Amino acid sequence: MEQQTKSAFISALGLDIGRKRIGVAGCDGTGLIATGLTTILRRSFAQDIEQFQELVEQRQVQVLVAGVPYNLNGSLGSQAKQTQNYAQRLANALKLPLEYIDERLTSYQAEQFMISENISPSRNKSMIDRKAAAIILQQWLDQRRRGG
């Protein structure tokens, strides 16, 4: 019985990968709700890995979910390819499976949430990244729950 209960739970990190920062979100143990956790300022790849390793151990992460900024026509542009390349290197270094989700407009959605909460997006770039990561992870969790 114990084994079956555990398999229903998932610990995932959602990633909004940018050139300067990476927004990171996690989900509750039930895999229902994504929450922004932190924003990692990109320095060197080795330093990024150190910060992620700590999160992975603390949260017993089982999978990484990276948002990919597809073009509006669904194709992969240079930014999307760079994002996938970085995400794959990260997943390999952390020895975790990696899944992608379309992240078009997630930063815009995050900014709109902040505006509705009377928070200035221009002064809180790190918060935008965290919220965008939470939107990415929430989309993945919702798809997973629907079996898609």
Side-chain angles (χ1 to χ4, degrees):
M1 184 68 182
E2 178 82 18
Q3 207 62 15
Q4 286 180 331
T5 317
K6 279 189 175 176
S7 65
F9 297 109
I10 185 82
S11 181
L13 285 184
L15 309 175
D16 179 39
I17 301 169
R19 286 192 178 101
K20 296 178 184 175
R21 295 177 306 274
I22 302 169
V24 182
C27 56
D28 63 338
T30 62
L32 292 175
I33 299 174
T35 310
L37 297 175
T38 188
T39 301
I40 291 177
L41 292 176
R42 288 181 66 176
R43 293 185 179 92
S44 71
F45 188 70
Q47 288 173 313
D48 295 354
I49 292 299
E50 276 180 37
Q51 292 180 76
F52 275 107
Q53 193 65 54
E54 203 172 296
L55 275 170
V56 165
E57 287 170 16
Q58 283 173 356
R59 301 184 66 86
Q60 299 178 316
V61 174
Q62 298 163 294
V63 63
L64 299 177
V65 179
V68 175
Y70 291 94
N71 292 323
L72 290 178
N73 67 3
S75 66
L76 286 175
S78 65
Q79 182 63 39
K81 288 175 185 170
Q82 287 174 8
T83 299
Q84 284 185 325
N85 182 32
Y86 182 89
Q88 192 59 62
R89 286 179 61 209
L90 186 63
N92 290 344
L94 297 171
K95 296 176 178 60
L96 287 171
L98 171 66
E99 295 195 27
Y100 296 112
I101 193 136
D102 186 348
E103 73 155 22
R104 283 179 281 189
L105 305 177
T106 55
S107 293
Y108 174 77
Q109 287 176 298
E111 288 180 27
Q112 295 308 304
F113 284 140
M114 290 172 66
I115 290 167
S116 73
E117 296 168 354
N118 292 322
I119 300 169
S120 168
S122 60
R123 292 197 193 140
N124 295 285
K125 299 287 186 200
S126 292
M127 186 183 283
I128 293 171
D129 298 330
R130 280 193 304 276
K131 285 188 178 286
I135 292 167
I136 288 164
L137 184 55
Q138 191 65 57
Q139 287 175 350
W140 181 81
L141 290 169
D142 293 347
Q143 280 181 6
R144 189 173 174 271
R145 218 175 18 260
R146 288 191 303 263

